Amino acid sequence: MNSTKKLTEAALLSSLFIVSTIIAVGSGFGYALYLDFIVPIFFCIICLKCELKYTILSGVSSLIVVALVLGNIGTAIWATQSVILGIMCGVLMSKATTIIDDIIYGSIIGIALMVFIDLYASKLIGYSFMKEFSQYTKIFPLKGYSEIIYYMLIALLPMGTVFSIYILSLLLSKKLNILKGNAKRKLHMIKNFRNCSRFICCSKKVFYLCSIYLILVEIMSLLKIDISIIYLKTIIISIQYLCFYFVIRDGYTILQNYVISKYQNISYARILSLITVVLLVLMFKVTTLAIVILNLILDKKIDIRIKQILIVDNYVNNLVIK
């Protein structure tokens, strides 16, 4: 009976999505905020309410109908990206993972989807933004900086999109009273972010996977392994930039918390911040490696990352009980 109810709800929501998409795309509004934000939030909510299997069934059937009715393959591909992002955020919210882990996983998948959309769009319209911009970076006077900006934009856009979808979906789901389990706990973390932000971190698994990825990419660079396929190169380097950000951000936060807890002096933490910034400017990769090694030592010695996750979990559990 419960399965029938969820299937019926998914079918009704699919019908709503089809009608609203046809109206939005037909009016031109769909190419503004609708496909980028409303569609993924919509399917994230379906995933939280109706379970994954019914959400996938809803997404596939809805996209087929939209593609056939509109006769616009480009719109269908764009909508596919949004549907996948929404379902992905719904699945991540339901897992017993940290919020930072969710954002990292979502951002990596978002980068791959962005490249996928550009690839298929180039087949349809004969123009690829990534290939075109890649050519511009070669003729730009400051070639190194132009490439950095290019890959940073590719990395930051999916990260910002996933973060926005994640937060907005949690807030809207709260209004609809459909949050439960891990998703409800993560909403409490977001709402009380100021109180527990110091202790919100990656899991050990994700932190060290990102670190290993950075090391492997650096080894490829030292061996002068050149990747000629622009799309594959874009994915690899964009994920590298993403990993740099999260490894440095997360690793430094762990070190800062350790210094504060050990010496009970905020001045030491400020000195650490100043030293870290200067070293990152002068020796970026060496400093990043040092942060990873120091985190490894702290994790082996006192399990600092697990302790921080337990602090956040206990804090949120108390909020849920209230």
Side-chain angles (χ1 to χ4, degrees):
M1 183 65 183
N2 192 39
S3 299
T4 304
K5 180 183 176 182
K6 290 180 179 179
L7 180 60
T8 304
E9 288 175 344
L12 290 172
L13 291 170
S14 298
S15 301
L16 178 61
F17 167 73
I18 291 168
V19 173
S20 60
T21 301
I22 293 171
I23 294 172
V25 172
S27 64
F29 173 69
Y31 298 103
L33 295 174
Y34 181 80
L35 288 175
D36 286 327
F37 291 101
I38 297 177
V39 170
I41 291 171
F42 187 86
F43 275 91
C44 182
I45 291 172
I46 295 178
C47 187
L48 291 173
K49 185 172 178 58
C50 304
E51 296 183 2
L52 179 59
K53 57 183 177 181
Y54 300 117
T55 308
I56 294 174
L57 181 62
S58 170
V60 172
S61 59
S62 298
L63 289 170
I64 291 173
V65 173
V66 168
L68 292 174
V69 172
L70 293 176
N72 188 332
I73 302 300
T75 301
I77 293 174
W78 193 347
T80 301
Q81 177 190 25
S82 300
V83 169
I84 294 173
L85 284 176
I87 295 174
M88 175 194 68
C89 286
V91 171
L92 290 172
M93 287 177 194
S94 303
K95 298 290 185 182
T97 52
T98 70
I99 291 177
I100 305 299
D101 285 359
D102 292 349
I103 301 301
I104 293 174
Y105 286 134
S107 300
I108 291 172
I109 296 172
I111 289 171
L113 280 174
M114 186 175 178
V115 173
F116 169 81
I117 293 300
D118 187 81
L119 173 62
Y120 273 85
S122 67
K123 301 295 183 183
L124 292 172
I125 64 177
Y127 177 84
S128 169
F129 168 79
M130 292 182 182
K131 286 185 177 180
E132 190 72 19
F133 198 86
S134 179
Q135 295 300 319
Y136 291 150
T137 58
K138 294 179 180 179
I139 62 175
F140 195 73
L142 300 173
K143 181 182 176 182
Y145 291 104
S146 62
E147 287 186 349
I148 290 172
I149 293 171
Y150 167 69
Y151 292 117
M152 283 184 65
L153 288 174
I154 298 296
L156 290 175
L157 182 58
M159 185 176 76
T161 302
V162 168
F163 179 78
S164 301
I165 294 167
Y166 192 94
I167 301 299
L168 292 172
S169 297
L170 280 174
L171 295 175
L172 187 55
S173 298
K174 171 64 176 177
K175 295 290 183 182
L176 297 173
N177 197 29
I178 61 173
L179 283 180
K180 58 184 179 181
N182 291 315
K184 189 173 184 179
R185 294 177 68 259
K186 288 173 182 178
L187 175 66
H188 281 292
M189 290 183 202
I190 297 297
K191 291 177 69 176
N192 296 276
F193 187 77
R194 181 179 295 181
N195 297 328
C196 59
S197 59
R198 270 185 55 206
F199 302 104
I200 294 177
C201 62
C202 302
S203 63
K204 290 173 67 174
K205 175 184 175 182
V206 172
F207 180 82
Y208 292 112
L209 281 176
C210 289
S211 302
I212 291 169
Y213 181 86
L214 291 175
I215 293 170
L216 291 176
V217 174
E218 188 60 27
I219 290 173
M220 288 173 59
S221 177
L222 292 174
L223 295 176
K224 300 187 183 302
I225 299 174
D226 187 34
I227 301 171
S228 57
I229 303 172
I230 186 66
Y231 293 109
L232 181 59
K233 183 178 180 180
T234 299
I235 291 174
I236 290 173
I237 299 181
S238 297
I239 293 176
Q240 179 192 22
Y241 280 43
L242 194 74
C243 289
F244 266 127
Y245 169 75
F246 282 106
V247 165
I248 293 171
R249 178 261 173 206
D250 202 72
Y252 168 74
T253 302
I254 292 289
L255 295 177
Q256 184 185 56
N257 288 340
Y258 175 75
V259 169
I260 292 174
S261 63
K262 183 174 178 62
Y263 299 104
Q264 301 295 317
N265 192 330
I266 195 68
S267 298
Y268 291 166
R270 290 171 180 166
I271 293 171
L272 175 66
S273 299
L274 181 61
I275 292 173
T276 304
V277 170
V278 172
L279 289 176
L280 284 171
V281 172
L282 297 177
M283 302 178 293
F284 181 77
K285 292 181 179 179
V286 174
T287 306
T288 303
L289 180 61
I291 289 173
V292 172
I293 293 172
L294 289 172
N295 271 256
L296 182 61
I297 293 171
L298 289 176
D299 278 328
K300 287 288 185 182
K301 189 175 180 180
I302 58 175
D303 275 332
I304 188 169
R305 198 172 297 275
I306 293 175
K307 288 180 179 178
Q308 288 200 174
I309 292 173
L310 287 174
I311 289 172
V312 176
D313 285 344
N314 291 332
Y315 176 75
V316 171
N317 288 337
N318 290 331
L319 292 175
V320 172
I321 293 172
K322 292 179 182 178

